Amino acid sequence: MPAYAVIGAQWGDEGKGKIIDFLAEDASVVVRYSGGNNAGHTVINQFGTFKFHLAPSGICWPHTMNVIGNGVVVDPDVLLDEIGMAQRAGLPGKLGVSDRAHLIMPYHVTLDELEERRRGKSAIGTTGRGVGPAYVDKVGRMGLRAGELLDPEDLSLRMPQIVDFKNELITKVYGGSPIDIEEIFEKTSRWAEALAPYIVRSEDIIAGALEGGENVIMEGAQGALLDIDHGTYPYVTSSNPTVGGTLTGTGAGPRSFGGVTGVFKAYCTRVGSGPFPTELEDETGELIRNKAGEFGATTGRPRRCGWFDAVAGRYSVRVNGFDSMIITRLDILDGFDSIKVCTAYELDHKEIDRFPVDSVLLDRCRPIYEEVPGWQGSSAGLTQASQLPPGAMAFVRRLEELLGIPASIISTGPKREEAIVLRSLMQ
Ligand code: IMP
């Protein structure tokens, strides 16, 4: 059986954690392929309520192996906290981290903060978790990988050179306080001991599952519009949440894929800076934020809220090749008299229907809306399509038309079982 990618289709926070917890019943391996502990995946099931920042959201199922792929950057302290939390809660899934996942070191967190401060008004609004600087070092060939923790001799050769360089940067360019190398060595030896049993060759686990006829889920983090290549650069994260990341970030081959699905919220949100054409800076935006609890799972920041953007959505379909969409948080739109969907933009007095990826152009775009009727009655917690208010189903059908792909699942609440399956996603 194949691999299935579940990808955030907007600016992140689409509710992927809940969906992956739901789908993992039918998978034996769940692999996170990108990002770091900038993500916060909320999962609610019989074990409790969890916000996973690193652990794949399949970890609540006893039959799953949950792999943090090589494309992820890992803060070992955060990972150890999550392992502790999973043990205390009795979560039955197994966990592994790729030997080639890069580590977020204390100097990455320091640099994330110093770089943001220096950007001043053009700050990206990062999550401050050191994710960007860790990817910079990965590409700059100055990174440390999980597997290297197991080779203290090599670490003791490489580390002083790296820390010297980082300290020059921190003190001379940013005027910050240097990092103590002894503290770093203390940390790496503690991490090595605690993480050794979890360090795995992830590509072998994935290949083994696929060859054995098992389903594998590729778990996205963040969203397509935050992608370093395809997102609203420079207001993006430093990895590839789009479909390419499922290959480079895991070591799976393209022929093993059986489907690529995009997770779309029934409206849009964005955290941090950057263009957001359908943003509602009024009481409707406030209403959505409060009703939906749109506050960052990682930083607690209020999320910017706006209407569903089908122009951005079509772009996301194009750059990911989605074959279906999962619509989340439909219940939040219950009770609105009417709902708006952005179908085109006005840019410099011209109507356009293609997403200008350039942030400066996108920032000048004004949304052109289609207004669709709202619905009375509640969709919250429903599990059958026949129970949905007709207006809610009409809204879903309109999104399918606008994006040109069918909806496979509608999520109607935060709990695992609160979902309507319109078509089966996995074999
Ligand atoms: P970084 O990934 O911490 O470097 O932040 C870069 C941008 O991506 C900022 O605008 C963040 O708010 C945004 N971002 C990063 N991770 C997430 C996420 O999981 N959900 C939503 N936005 C995110």
Side-chain angles (χ1 to χ4, degrees):
M1 281 188 204
Y4 296 91
V6 179
I7 294 176
Q10 295 156 322
W11 281 284
D13 307 316
E14 297 91 354
K16 296 176 287 294
K18 175 251 161 88
I19 294 296
I20 287 156
D21 175 49
F22 175 77
L23 292 174
E25 181 171 12
D26 296 322
S28 69
V29 177
V30 180
V31 196
R32 251 292 288 277
Y33 62 83
S34 70
N37 57 307
N38 45 356
H41 290 174
T42 305
V43 167
I44 304 178
N45 54 36
Q46 78 272 27
F47 293 99
T49 297
F50 306 96
K51 286 187 200 306
F52 298 123
H53 300 289
L54 282 170
S57 306
I59 195 162
C60 299
W61 290 98
H63 58 274
T64 57
M65 174 67 191
N66 296 273
V67 180
I68 298 172
N70 60 279
V72 178
V73 286
V74 175
D75 182 326
D77 280 331
V78 175
L79 179 55
L80 288 169
D81 279 354
E82 274 184 24
I83 290 171
M85 177 186 79
Q87 284 169 348
R88 285 191 300 280
L91 303 186
K94 291 187 283 300
L95 183 69
V97 56
S98 163
D99 53 358
R100 275 159 303 123
H102 278 247
L103 301 180
I104 299 183
M105 301 297 289
Y107 45 81
H108 292 134
V109 180
T110 303
L111 283 165
D112 198 353
E113 192 191 319
L114 293 169
E115 286 166 6
E116 275 289 84
R117 206 179 300 159
R118 194 175 169 106
R119 285 184 193 113
K121 277 199 186 123
S122 49
I124 294 162
T126 72
T127 57
R129 302 298 191 262
V131 169
Y135 278 115
V136 166
D137 278 0
K138 172 177 176 172
V139 177
R141 292 162 293 193
M142 211 192 277
L144 296 166
R145 307 194 287 184
E148 287 174 78
L149 288 175
L150 306 182
D151 187 349
E153 208 173 309
D154 179 49
L155 263 188
S156 65
L157 289 176
R158 287 188 71 212
M159 192 73 83
Q161 222 183 359
I162 296 174
V163 175
D164 273 358
F165 177 74
K166 294 297 165 185
N167 275 340
E168 287 209 30
L169 197 60
I170 289 169
T171 56
K172 295 186 181 160
V173 175
Y174 295 107
S177 312
I179 300 285
D180 179 359
I181 190 158
E182 290 311 317
E183 267 176 41
I184 301 245
F185 275 125
E186 182 276 312
K187 272 180 184 280
T188 50
S189 61
R190 188 164 46 80
W191 293 339
E193 198 184 327
L195 289 178
Y198 297 94
I199 296 174
V200 295
R201 285 179 59 106
S202 50
E203 66 282 11
D204 291 350
I205 294 174
I206 298 165
L210 293 169
E211 281 159 16
E214 311 279 352
N215 283 330
V216 172
I217 295 175
M218 303 293 182
E219 170 177 315
Q222 288 82 47
L225 304 176
L226 288 174
D227 186 278
I228 186 78
D229 286 285
H230 301 295
T232 54
Y233 193 89
Y235 300 101
V236 290
T237 192
S238 298
S239 65
N240 287 114
T242 50
V243 67
T246 65
L247 302 179
T248 54
T250 67
R255 278 180 300 162
S256 55
F257 279 74
V260 181
T261 192
V263 186
F264 290 84
K265 211 148 34 179
Y267 48 92
C268 279
T269 61
R270 176 163 202 167
V271 200
S273 318
F276 180 7
T278 62
E279 181 169 14
L280 290 165
E281 293 176 278
D282 59 9
E283 65 278 11
T284 308
E286 195 64 32
L287 179 71
I288 294 175
R289 178 161 40 251
N290 290 329
K291 189 170 175 194
E294 290 290 0
F295 298 89
T298 299
T299 60
R301 291 180 288 181
R303 295 181 184 141
R304 301 156 67 192
C305 297
W307 294 118
F308 190 92
D309 185 341
V311 183
R314 279 194 295 267
Y315 171 74
S316 195
V317 173
R318 171 159 296 177
V319 296
N320 286 291
F322 294 140
D323 45 37
S324 80
M325 66 171 138
I326 295 174
I327 300 174
T328 61
R329 313 226 63 182
L330 184 66
D331 52 304
I332 298 302
L333 299 183
D334 287 347
F336 276 83
D337 288 338
S338 70
I339 294 164
K340 289 182 183 170
V341 178
C342 170
T343 54
Y345 297 146
E346 188 196 309
L347 173 62
D348 302 337
H349 309 294
K350 287 200 196 86
E351 185 172 324
I352 58 166
D353 60 6
R354 287 184 58 191
F355 187 70
V357 193
D358 183 297
S359 276
V360 177
L361 290 184
L362 187 59
D363 207 30
R364 290 216 301 272
C365 287
R366 297 290 157 258
I368 297 175
Y369 286 119
E370 171 180 307
E371 203 151 342
V372 298
W375 54 89
Q376 293 309 309
S378 170
S379 66
L382 299 183
T383 56
Q384 300 296 324
S386 56
Q387 302 166 324
L388 267 184
M393 193 46 126
F395 176 71
V396 169
R397 296 293 177 223
R398 185 65 188 130
L399 297 190
E400 289 180 319
E401 275 168 20
L402 287 167
L403 267 52
I405 50 171
S408 47
I409 297 174
I410 301 169
S411 173
T412 56
K415 295 190 192 130
R416 179 189 280 167
E417 61 281 3
E418 293 175 325
I420 297 170
V421 178
L422 298 173
R423 49 163 57 207
S424 162
L425 209 70
M426 299 196 294
Q427 283 175 18

